[in-house]
Amino acid sequence: MSNVTNLNQFRKAKARADKRVTADANATKFGRTKAQRALEEAQSQRARSSLDGHEIAPPKDDDAP
């Protein structure tokens, strides 16, 4: 007698493998993890804040003759 095979298990395993292939392709295509994006955004915000803090205010027009 032959063994009984559950076709649902094979179908689901194939679907998981296909999703994994798609996910790997997207990971190489877009390339950064969520943590890397958050770190880069924080560094950018810190640099922007630092530059804004060192900005020299333009002279006021109240003292003009």
Side-chain angles (χ1 to χ4, degrees):
M1 244 175 134
S2 65
N3 293 333
V4 177
T5 58
N6 188 347
L7 297 178
N8 283 332
Q9 288 179 345
F10 288 110
R11 178 181 51 83
K12 289 180 181 181
K14 183 174 180 347
R16 273 189 236 108
D18 291 343
K19 281 185 179 182
R20 188 173 299 120
V21 168
T22 303
D24 289 341
N26 284 339
T28 59
K29 185 176 179 181
F30 297 110
R32 296 184 302 166
T33 65
K34 188 174 184 179
Q36 289 171 332
R37 287 193 307 267
L39 176 64
E40 186 176 311
E41 178 62 30
Q43 289 173 341
S44 173
Q45 182 66 28
R46 191 176 311 121
R48 194 171 321 132
S49 174
S50 177
L51 284 175
D52 289 344
H54 289 91
E55 184 176 350
I56 297 174
K60 295 183 180 181
D61 290 334
D62 296 339
D63 296 335

